[in-house]
Coordinates of all heavy atoms in Angstrom, one line a residue:
M788 N 89.8 -45.6 193.8 CA 91.1 -45.3 194.4 C 92.1 -44.9 193.2 O 92.2 -45.7 192.3 CB 91.6 -46.5 195.2 CG 92.9 -46.1 195.8 SD 93.4 -47.4 197.0 CE 94.6 -48.3 196.1
K789 N 92.8 -43.8 193.4 CA 93.7 -43.4 192.3 C 95.1 -44.0 192.6 O 95.6 -43.9 193.7 CB 93.8 -41.9 192.3 CG 93.9 -41.3 190.9 CD 93.7 -39.9 191.0 CE 93.5 -39.4 189.6 NZ 93.4 -38.0 189.5
C790 N 95.7 -44.5 191.6 CA 97.1 -45.1 191.8 C 98.1 -44.0 191.3 O 98.1 -43.6 190.2 CB 97.2 -46.3 190.9 SG 98.8 -47.1 191.1
P791 N 98.9 -43.5 192.2 CA 99.9 -42.4 191.9 C 100.9 -42.8 190.9 O 101.5 -42.0 190.3 CB 100.5 -42.1 193.3 CG 100.3 -43.3 194.1 CD 99.1 -44.0 193.6
K792 N 101.3 -44.1 190.8 CA 102.3 -44.5 189.9 C 101.9 -44.8 188.5 O 102.7 -45.1 187.6 CB 103.1 -45.7 190.4 CG 103.8 -45.4 191.7 CD 104.6 -46.6 192.2 CE 105.3 -46.3 193.5 NZ 106.1 -47.4 193.9
S793 N 100.6 -44.8 188.2 CA 100.1 -45.1 186.9 C 98.8 -44.3 186.6 O 98.2 -43.7 187.4 CB 99.8 -46.6 186.8 OG 98.8 -46.9 187.7
L794 N 98.5 -44.3 185.3 CA 97.3 -43.7 184.8 C 96.3 -44.8 184.4 O 96.7 -45.8 183.8 CB 97.6 -42.8 183.6 CG 98.7 -41.7 183.8 CD1 99.0 -41.1 182.5 CD2 98.3 -40.7 184.8
R795 N 95.1 -44.6 184.8 CA 94.1 -45.7 184.5 C 92.8 -45.2 184.1 O 92.4 -44.1 184.4 CB 94.0 -46.6 185.7 CG 93.4 -46.0 187.0 CD 93.2 -46.9 188.1 NE 94.2 -47.9 188.3 CZ 94.2 -48.9 189.1 NH1 93.1 -49.1 189.8 NH2 95.1 -49.8 189.2
Q796 N 92.0 -46.1 183.5 CA 90.6 -45.9 183.1 C 89.9 -47.1 183.5 O 90.2 -48.2 183.1 CB 90.5 -45.6 181.6 CG 89.0 -45.4 181.2 CD 88.9 -45.1 179.7 OE1 89.9 -45.1 179.0 NE2 87.7 -44.9 179.3
L797 N 88.9 -47.0 184.3 CA 88.1 -48.1 184.8 C 86.8 -48.1 184.0 O 86.1 -47.1 183.8 CB 87.7 -48.0 186.3 CG 88.9 -48.2 187.2 CD1 88.4 -47.9 188.6 CD2 89.5 -49.5 187.1
C798 N 86.4 -49.3 183.5 CA 85.1 -49.5 182.8 C 84.3 -50.7 183.4 O 84.8 -51.8 183.2 CB 85.4 -49.8 181.3 SG 86.5 -48.6 180.5
P799 N 83.2 -50.4 184.1 CA 82.5 -51.5 184.6 C 81.7 -52.2 183.4 O 81.1 -51.5 182.6 CB 81.5 -50.9 185.6 CG 81.4 -49.5 185.2 CD 82.7 -49.1 184.5
E800 N 81.9 -53.5 183.3 CA 81.3 -54.2 182.2 C 80.7 -55.6 182.6 O 81.2 -56.1 183.6 CB 82.4 -54.5 181.1 CG 83.2 -53.3 180.6 CD 82.3 -52.3 179.8 OE1 81.2 -52.7 179.5 OE2 82.8 -51.2 179.6
P801 N 79.7 -56.1 181.9 CA 79.2 -57.4 182.3 C 80.0 -58.5 181.6 O 80.5 -58.4 180.5 CB 77.8 -57.3 181.6 CG 77.9 -56.4 180.5 CD 79.0 -55.4 180.9
L802 N 80.0 -59.6 182.3 CA 80.6 -60.8 181.7 C 79.6 -61.4 180.8 O 78.5 -61.7 181.2 CB 80.9 -61.9 182.8 CG 81.5 -63.2 182.3 CD1 82.9 -62.9 181.7 CD2 81.6 -64.2 183.5
K803 N 79.9 -61.4 179.5 CA 79.0 -61.8 178.5 C 78.7 -63.3 178.5 O 77.5 -63.7 178.5 CB 79.5 -61.4 177.1 CG 78.5 -61.5 176.0 CD 79.1 -60.9 174.7 CE 78.1 -61.1 173.6 NZ 78.6 -60.5 172.4
K804 N 79.7 -64.1 178.5 CA 79.5 -65.5 178.6 C 80.8 -66.2 179.1 O 81.9 -65.7 179.0 CB 79.1 -66.1 177.3 CG 80.1 -66.0 176.2 CD 79.5 -66.6 174.9 CE 80.3 -66.3 173.7 NZ 79.8 -66.8 172.4
V805 N 80.6 -67.4 179.6 CA 81.8 -68.3 180.0 C 81.9 -69.3 178.8 O 80.9 -70.0 178.4 CB 81.5 -69.0 181.3 CG1 82.6 -70.0 181.6 CG2 81.5 -68.0 182.4
I806 N 83.1 -69.5 178.3 CA 83.3 -70.4 177.2 C 84.0 -71.6 177.7 O 85.2 -71.5 178.2 CB 84.2 -69.7 176.1 CG1 83.4 -68.5 175.6 CG2 84.4 -70.7 175.0 CD1 84.3 -67.5 174.9
P807 N 83.4 -72.8 177.7 CA 84.0 -74.0 178.2 C 85.3 -74.4 177.5 O 85.4 -74.1 176.3 CB 82.9 -75.1 178.0 CG 81.6 -74.4 177.8 CD 82.0 -73.0 177.2
S808 N 86.1 -75.0 178.2 CA 87.4 -75.5 177.5 C 87.1 -76.5 176.5 O 86.4 -77.5 176.8 CB 88.3 -76.0 178.6 OG 89.5 -76.6 178.0
P809 N 87.8 -76.4 175.3 CA 87.6 -77.5 174.3 C 88.4 -78.7 174.6 O 88.2 -79.8 174.0 CB 88.0 -76.8 173.0 CG 89.0 -75.8 173.5 CD 88.6 -75.3 174.8
H810 N 89.3 -78.6 175.6 CA 90.2 -79.7 175.9 C 90.6 -79.6 177.4 O 90.8 -78.5 177.9 CB 91.4 -79.7 175.0 CG 92.3 -80.8 175.1 ND1 93.3 -81.0 176.1 CD2 92.4 -82.0 174.4 CE1 93.9 -82.1 176.0 NE2 93.4 -82.8 174.9
P811 N 90.7 -80.7 178.1 CA 91.1 -80.6 179.5 C 92.4 -79.9 179.9 O 92.5 -79.3 181.0 CB 91.2 -82.1 180.0 CG 90.5 -82.9 178.9 CD 90.5 -82.1 177.7
D812 N 93.3 -79.8 178.9 CA 94.5 -79.1 179.2 C 94.4 -77.6 178.9 O 95.4 -76.8 179.2 CB 95.7 -79.7 178.3 CG 96.0 -81.1 178.7 OD1 95.7 -81.5 179.8 OD2 96.6 -81.8 177.8
L813 N 93.3 -77.1 178.3 CA 93.1 -75.7 178.0 C 92.2 -75.1 179.0 O 91.2 -75.7 179.4 CB 92.6 -75.6 176.6 CG 93.5 -76.1 175.5 CD1 92.8 -76.0 174.1 CD2 94.8 -75.3 175.5
P814 N 92.4 -73.8 179.4 CA 91.6 -73.2 180.4 C 90.2 -72.7 179.8 O 90.1 -72.4 178.6 CB 92.4 -72.0 180.8 CG 93.3 -71.6 179.6 CD 93.5 -73.0 179.0
E815 N 89.2 -72.6 180.7 CA 88.0 -72.0 180.4 C 88.2 -70.6 180.1 O 89.1 -70.0 180.7 CB 87.0 -72.3 181.6 CG 85.7 -71.7 181.5 CD 84.9 -72.0 182.7 OE1 85.0 -71.2 183.7 OE2 84.1 -73.0 182.7
K816 N 87.4 -69.9 179.3 CA 87.6 -68.5 179.0 C 86.3 -67.7 179.5 O 85.2 -68.3 179.5 CB 87.7 -68.3 177.5 CG 89.0 -68.9 176.9 CD 90.2 -68.2 177.3 CE 91.4 -68.8 176.6 NZ 92.6 -68.1 176.8
A817 N 86.5 -66.5 179.8 CA 85.5 -65.6 180.1 C 85.4 -64.5 179.1 O 86.5 -63.9 178.8 CB 85.7 -64.9 181.5
E818 N 84.3 -64.3 178.5 CA 84.1 -63.2 177.4 C 83.5 -62.0 178.0 O 82.4 -62.1 178.6 CB 83.3 -63.8 176.2 CG 83.3 -62.8 175.1 CD 82.6 -63.4 173.9 OE1 83.2 -64.2 173.2 OE2 81.5 -63.0 173.6
I819 N 84.1 -60.9 177.9 CA 83.7 -59.6 178.5 C 83.3 -58.7 177.4 O 84.1 -58.4 176.5 CB 84.7 -59.0 179.4 CG1 85.1 -60.0 180.5 CG2 84.3 -57.7 180.0 CD1 86.4 -59.7 181.3
A820 N 82.1 -58.1 177.5 CA 81.7 -57.1 176.5 C 82.2 -55.7 176.9 O 82.1 -55.3 178.1 CB 80.2 -57.0 176.4
V821 N 82.9 -55.0 176.0 CA 83.4 -53.7 176.3 C 82.6 -52.7 175.5 O 82.8 -52.5 174.3 CB 84.9 -53.6 175.9 CG1 85.5 -52.3 176.2 CG2 85.7 -54.7 176.6
E822 N 81.7 -52.0 176.2 CA 80.9 -51.0 175.6 C 81.7 -49.8 175.2 O 82.7 -49.4 175.9 CB 79.8 -50.5 176.6 CG 78.8 -51.6 176.9 CD 78.0 -52.1 175.7 OE1 77.7 -51.4 174.8 OE2 77.8 -53.4 175.7
G823 N 81.4 -49.2 174.1 CA 82.1 -48.1 173.6 C 83.4 -48.4 172.7 O 84.0 -47.5 172.2
A824 N 83.7 -49.7 172.7 CA 84.9 -50.1 171.8 C 84.4 -50.2 170.4 O 83.2 -50.3 170.1 CB 85.4 -51.4 172.3
D825 N 85.3 -50.2 169.4 CA 85.0 -50.4 168.0 C 84.4 -51.7 167.9 O 84.6 -52.7 168.6 CB 86.3 -50.3 167.2 CG 86.8 -48.9 167.1 OD1 86.1 -47.9 167.4 OD2 88.0 -48.8 166.7
E826 N 83.5 -51.9 166.8 CA 82.7 -53.1 166.7 C 83.5 -54.4 166.7 O 83.1 -55.3 167.3 CB 81.9 -53.0 165.3 CG 81.0 -54.1 165.1 CD 80.1 -53.9 163.9 OE1 80.0 -52.8 163.4 OE2 79.6 -55.0 163.5
L827 N 84.7 -54.4 166.0 CA 85.5 -55.6 166.0 C 86.2 -56.0 167.3 O 86.7 -57.0 167.4 CB 86.5 -55.5 164.9 CG 86.0 -55.5 163.4 CD1 87.1 -55.2 162.5 CD2 85.3 -56.8 163.1
Y828 N 86.1 -55.0 168.2 CA 86.9 -55.2 169.5 C 86.0 -55.1 170.7 O 86.4 -54.8 171.8 CB 88.0 -54.2 169.6 CG 88.9 -54.2 168.4 CD1 88.7 -53.2 167.4 CD2 89.8 -55.2 168.2 CE1 89.5 -53.3 166.2 CE2 90.6 -55.2 167.1 CZ 90.5 -54.3 166.1 OH 91.3 -54.3 165.0
R829 N 84.7 -55.4 170.6 CA 83.7 -55.2 171.7 C 83.8 -56.3 172.7 O 83.2 -56.2 173.8 CB 82.3 -55.1 171.1 CG 82.2 -53.7 170.5 CD 80.7 -53.3 170.4 NE 80.7 -52.0 169.8 CZ 79.9 -51.6 168.8 NH1 79.1 -52.5 168.3 NH2 80.0 -50.4 168.3
E830 N 84.4 -57.4 172.3 CA 84.5 -58.5 173.3 C 86.0 -58.9 173.5 O 86.7 -58.9 172.5 CB 83.8 -59.8 172.9 CG 82.3 -59.7 172.8 CD 81.8 -59.2 171.4 OE1 82.5 -59.4 170.4 OE2 80.7 -58.6 171.4
I831 N 86.4 -59.1 174.7 CA 87.7 -59.6 175.0 C 87.5 -60.9 175.7 O 86.5 -61.1 176.5 CB 88.6 -58.6 175.8 CG1 87.9 -58.3 177.1 CG2 88.9 -57.4 175.0 CD1 88.8 -57.5 178.1
R832 N 88.5 -61.8 175.5 CA 88.4 -63.1 176.2 C 89.7 -63.3 177.1 O 90.8 -63.0 176.6 CB 88.3 -64.3 175.2 CG 87.0 -64.3 174.5 CD 86.9 -65.4 173.5 NE 85.6 -65.4 172.9 CZ 85.3 -66.3 172.0 NH1 86.1 -67.3 171.6 NH2 84.1 -66.2 171.4
I833 N 89.4 -63.7 178.3 CA 90.5 -63.9 179.2 C 90.4 -65.3 179.9 O 89.3 -65.8 179.8 CB 90.6 -62.8 180.4 CG1 89.3 -62.9 181.2 CG2 90.8 -61.4 179.8 CD1 89.3 -62.1 182.5
E834 N 91.4 -65.8 180.4 CA 91.3 -67.1 181.1 C 90.4 -66.8 182.3 O 90.6 -65.8 183.1 CB 92.7 -67.5 181.6 CG 92.8 -68.9 182.2 CD 94.2 -69.3 182.5 OE1 95.1 -69.1 181.7 OE2 94.4 -69.9 183.6
N835 N 89.5 -67.7 182.6 CA 88.5 -67.6 183.7 C 89.1 -68.2 185.0 O 88.6 -69.1 185.6 CB 87.2 -68.2 183.3 CG 86.1 -67.8 184.3 OD1 86.3 -66.9 185.1 ND2 85.0 -68.5 184.2
T836 N 90.2 -67.6 185.4 CA 90.9 -68.0 186.6 C 91.3 -66.8 187.3 O 92.1 -66.0 186.8 CB 92.1 -68.9 186.3 OG1 91.7 -70.0 185.6 CG2 92.7 -69.4 187.7
L837 N 90.8 -66.6 188.5 CA 91.1 -65.4 189.4 C 91.6 -65.9 190.7 O 91.4 -67.1 191.0 CB 89.9 -64.5 189.5 CG 89.3 -64.0 188.2 CD1 88.0 -63.3 188.5 CD2 90.2 -63.0 187.5
T838 N 92.1 -65.0 191.5 CA 92.5 -65.4 192.9 C 91.8 -64.5 193.9 O 91.8 -63.3 193.7 CB 94.1 -65.2 193.1 OG1 94.7 -65.9 192.0 CG2 94.5 -65.6 194.4
D839 N 91.1 -65.1 194.9 CA 90.4 -64.3 195.8 C 91.3 -63.8 196.9 O 92.5 -64.0 196.9 CB 89.2 -65.1 196.5 CG 89.6 -66.3 197.4 OD1 90.8 -66.4 197.7 OD2 88.8 -67.1 197.7
E840 N 90.8 -63.1 197.9 CA 91.6 -62.4 198.9 C 92.3 -63.4 199.8 O 93.3 -63.0 200.5 CB 90.7 -61.4 199.7 CG 89.6 -62.1 200.5 CD 88.3 -62.3 199.7 OE1 88.2 -61.9 198.6 OE2 87.4 -63.0 200.3
K841 N 91.9 -64.6 199.8 CA 92.5 -65.7 200.6 C 93.6 -66.5 199.8 O 94.1 -67.4 200.4 CB 91.5 -66.6 201.2 CG 90.6 -65.9 202.2 CD 89.5 -66.9 202.7 CE 88.5 -66.1 203.6 NZ 87.5 -67.0 204.1
G842 N 93.7 -66.2 198.5 CA 94.7 -66.9 197.7 C 94.1 -68.1 197.0 O 94.8 -68.8 196.4
N843 N 92.8 -68.3 197.1 CA 92.1 -69.4 196.5 C 91.8 -69.1 195.0 O 91.4 -68.0 194.7 CB 90.8 -69.8 197.2 CG 91.1 -70.2 198.6 OD1 92.0 -71.0 198.9 ND2 90.3 -69.6 199.5
E844 N 92.0 -70.1 194.1 CA 91.5 -69.9 192.7 C 90.0 -69.9 192.7 O 89.4 -70.8 193.2 CB 92.1 -71.0 191.8 CG 93.5 -70.7 191.4 CD 94.0 -71.6 190.2 OE1 93.1 -72.4 189.7 OE2 95.1 -71.5 189.9
V845 N 89.5 -68.9 191.9 CA 88.0 -68.8 191.7 C 87.8 -68.5 190.2 O 88.7 -68.2 189.5 CB 87.4 -67.7 192.6 CG1 87.6 -68.0 194.1 CG2 88.1 -66.4 192.3
K846 N 86.5 -68.6 189.8 CA 86.2 -68.2 188.4 C 85.0 -67.3 188.4 O 84.2 -67.3 189.4 CB 86.0 -69.5 187.6 CG 84.9 -70.3 188.0 CD 84.8 -71.5 187.0 CE 83.5 -72.3 187.3 NZ 83.4 -73.4 186.3
L847 N 84.8 -66.6 187.4 CA 83.6 -65.7 187.2 C 82.4 -66.5 186.8 O 82.5 -67.5 186.1 CB 83.9 -64.7 186.1 CG 85.0 -63.7 186.4 CD1 85.4 -62.9 185.2 CD2 84.7 -62.8 187.6
K848 N 81.2 -66.0 187.3 CA 79.9 -66.6 187.0 C 79.4 -65.9 185.8 O 79.6 -64.7 185.6 CB 79.0 -66.6 188.1 CG 79.4 -67.3 189.4 CD 78.3 -67.3 190.4 CE 78.2 -66.0 191.1 NZ 77.2 -65.9 192.2
P849 N 78.6 -66.5 184.9 CA 77.9 -65.8 183.8 C 77.1 -64.6 184.3 O 76.5 -64.7 185.4 CB 77.0 -66.8 183.2 CG 77.7 -68.1 183.5 CD 78.3 -67.9 184.9
G850 N 77.2 -63.5 183.7 CA 76.5 -62.3 184.1 C 77.2 -61.4 185.2 O 76.7 -60.4 185.5
A851 N 78.3 -61.9 185.7 CA 79.0 -61.2 186.7 C 79.4 -59.8 186.2 O 79.7 -59.6 185.0 CB 80.3 -61.9 187.1
Q852 N 79.4 -58.8 187.1 CA 79.9 -57.4 186.7 C 81.4 -57.4 187.0 O 81.8 -57.8 188.1 CB 79.2 -56.4 187.6 CG 77.7 -56.1 187.1 CD 77.7 -55.4 185.7 OE1 77.4 -56.1 184.8 NE2 77.9 -54.2 185.7
V853 N 82.2 -57.0 186.1 CA 83.6 -56.9 186.2 C 84.1 -55.5 185.8 O 83.3 -54.8 185.2 CB 84.3 -58.0 185.3 CG1 83.9 -59.4 185.8 CG2 84.1 -57.8 183.9
E854 N 85.3 -55.1 186.3 CA 85.9 -53.9 185.9 C 87.0 -54.2 184.9 O 87.9 -54.9 185.3 CB 86.3 -53.1 187.1 CG 85.2 -52.4 187.8 CD 85.8 -51.5 188.9 OE1 87.0 -51.4 189.2 OE2 84.9 -50.8 189.5
V855 N 87.0 -53.6 183.8 CA 88.1 -53.6 182.8 C 89.0 -52.4 183.1 O 88.5 -51.3 183.1 CB 87.6 -53.6 181.4 CG1 88.8 -53.6 180.4 CG2 86.7 -54.9 181.1
T856 N 90.2 -52.6 183.4 CA 91.2 -51.5 183.7 C 92.2 -51.4 182.6 O 92.9 -52.4 182.3 CB 91.8 -51.8 185.1 OG1 90.8 -51.9 186.1 CG2 92.7 -50.6 185.5
V857 N 92.4 -50.2 182.1 CA 93.5 -49.9 181.2 C 94.4 -49.1 182.0 O 94.0 -48.0 182.5 CB 93.0 -49.2 179.9 CG1 94.2 -48.8 179.1 CG2 92.0 -50.1 179.2
E858 N 95.7 -49.5 182.2 CA 96.6 -48.8 183.1 C 97.9 -48.7 182.4 O 98.4 -49.6 181.7 CB 96.8 -49.7 184.3 CG 97.5 -49.0 185.4 CD 97.4 -49.8 186.7 OE1 96.6 -50.7 186.8 OE2 98.2 -49.4 187.6
A859 N 98.6 -47.5 182.6 CA 99.9 -47.3 182.0 C 100.7 -46.4 182.9 O 100.2 -45.6 183.7 CB 99.7 -46.5 180.7
D860 N 102.0 -46.7 182.9 CA 103.0 -45.9 183.6 C 103.0 -44.5 183.0 O 103.0 -44.4 181.8 CB 104.4 -46.5 183.6 CG 105.3 -45.9 184.5 OD1 105.6 -44.7 184.3 OD2 105.8 -46.6 185.4
P861 N 103.0 -43.4 183.8 CA 103.0 -42.0 183.2 C 104.1 -41.8 182.2 O 103.9 -41.1 181.2 CB 103.1 -41.1 184.4 CG 102.6 -41.9 185.5 CD 102.9 -43.3 185.2
K862 N 105.2 -42.5 182.3 CA 106.3 -42.3 181.4 C 106.0 -42.9 180.0 O 106.7 -42.6 179.0 CB 107.6 -42.9 181.9 CG 107.7 -44.4 181.9 CD 109.0 -44.9 182.4 CE 109.1 -46.4 182.4 NZ 108.7 -47.1 181.2
D863 N 105.0 -43.7 179.9 CA 104.6 -44.3 178.7 C 103.4 -43.6 178.0 O 102.7 -44.1 177.1 CB 104.2 -45.8 178.9 CG 105.4 -46.6 179.3 OD1 106.5 -46.3 178.8 OD2 105.2 -47.5 180.1
T864 N 103.1 -42.4 178.4 CA 102.0 -41.6 177.9 C 102.5 -40.3 177.4 O 103.6 -39.8 177.7 CB 100.9 -41.3 178.9 OG1 101.4 -40.5 180.0 CG2 100.4 -42.6 179.5
V865 N 101.7 -39.6 176.5 CA 102.0 -38.3 176.0 C 100.7 -37.5 176.0 O 99.6 -38.0 176.1 CB 102.5 -38.3 174.5 CG1 103.9 -39.0 174.4 CG2 101.5 -39.0 173.6
A866 N 100.9 -36.2 176.0 CA 99.7 -35.3 176.1 C 98.9 -35.4 174.8 O 99.5 -35.6 173.7 CB 100.2 -33.8 176.3
K867 N 97.6 -35.4 175.0 CA 96.7 -35.5 173.8 C 96.6 -34.2 173.2 O 96.4 -33.1 173.9 CB 95.4 -36.0 174.3 CG 94.4 -36.4 173.3 CD 93.2 -37.1 173.8 CE 92.3 -37.6 172.8 NZ 91.1 -38.2 173.3
Q868 N 96.7 -34.1 171.8 CA 96.5 -32.9 171.1 C 95.0 -32.5 171.1 O 94.2 -33.3 170.9 CB 97.0 -33.1 169.6 CG 98.4 -33.4 169.5 CD 99.3 -32.2 169.8 OE1 99.0 -31.1 169.6 NE2 100.5 -32.5 170.4
K869 N 94.8 -31.2 171.3 CA 93.4 -30.7 171.2 C 93.0 -30.6 169.7 O 93.8 -30.2 168.9 CB 93.3 -29.3 171.9 CG 93.4 -29.4 173.4 CD 93.2 -28.1 174.0 CE 93.4 -28.2 175.5 NZ 93.1 -27.0 176.2
A870 N 91.8 -31.0 169.4 CA 91.3 -30.9 168.0 C 91.1 -29.5 167.6 O 90.7 -28.6 168.4 CB 90.0 -31.7 167.9
A871 N 91.6 -29.2 166.4 CA 91.4 -27.8 165.8 C 89.9 -27.6 165.5 O 89.2 -28.4 165.0 CB 92.3 -27.6 164.6
K872 N 89.5 -26.4 165.9 CA 88.1 -26.0 165.6 C 88.0 -25.5 164.2 O 88.8 -24.7 163.7 CB 87.6 -25.0 166.6 CG 87.4 -25.5 168.0 CD 86.9 -24.4 168.9 CE 86.8 -25.0 170.3 NZ 86.2 -23.9 171.2
N873 N 87.0 -26.0 163.4 CA 86.7 -25.5 162.1 C 85.8 -24.3 162.1 O 84.7 -24.4 162.8 CB 86.1 -26.6 161.2 CG 87.1 -27.7 161.0 OD1 88.3 -27.5 161.0 ND2 86.5 -28.9 160.7
H874 N 86.1 -23.2 161.5 CA 85.3 -22.0 161.5 C 84.6 -21.9 160.2 O 85.1 -21.9 159.1 CB 86.1 -20.8 161.9 CG 86.4 -20.8 163.3 ND1 87.6 -21.3 163.8 CD2 85.8 -20.3 164.4 CE1 87.6 -21.2 165.1 NE2 86.5 -20.5 165.5

């Protein structure tokens, strides 16, 4: 579904692993592999807390397929320059 108020890129990615909390006051983390990213940035970690359609807190299971969305308001973007061709 296209969002008219923003520009987005969807990337289906696997949940690489769930990282247990090192302390009861800290949240569990979900590590997501981002294919096509630079080597140092191939994994992102987020808090493993989501909300389902009924408003209940849920968490991701290891190996879950997730979508990573990069989204921006059109006013925060500029046209991309075309690369010059070398002859």
Side-chain angles (χ1 to χ4, degrees):
M788 182 169 103
K789 218 170 194 183
C790 182
K792 293 185 181 180
S793 63
L794 304 173
R795 64 173 42 192
Q796 178 179 2
L797 293 175
C798 306
E800 305 294 350
L802 179 65
K803 190 172 179 180
K804 64 181 171 181
V805 173
I806 303 164
S808 172
H810 189 274
D812 292 338
L813 298 174
E815 178 179 85
K816 299 284 184 173
E818 185 173 288
I819 301 165
V821 180
E822 294 299 322
D825 290 343
E826 186 175 341
L827 291 174
Y828 306 100
R829 289 200 178 133
E830 293 91 25
I831 58 171
R832 291 181 180 179
I833 61 168
E834 187 175 317
N835 193 11
T836 303
L837 304 169
T838 306
D839 69 11
E840 63 278 352
K841 295 178 183 176
N843 301 313
E844 277 195 4
V845 296
K846 64 182 188 173
L847 296 168
K848 298 187 286 185
Q852 285 292 101
V853 299
E854 284 188 354
V855 176
T856 303
V857 176
E858 190 170 348
D860 190 296
K862 71 175 179 56
D863 295 325
T864 64
V865 295
K867 190 172 181 179
Q868 299 286 330
K869 291 185 179 180
K872 292 183 180 179
N873 293 333
H874 288 89

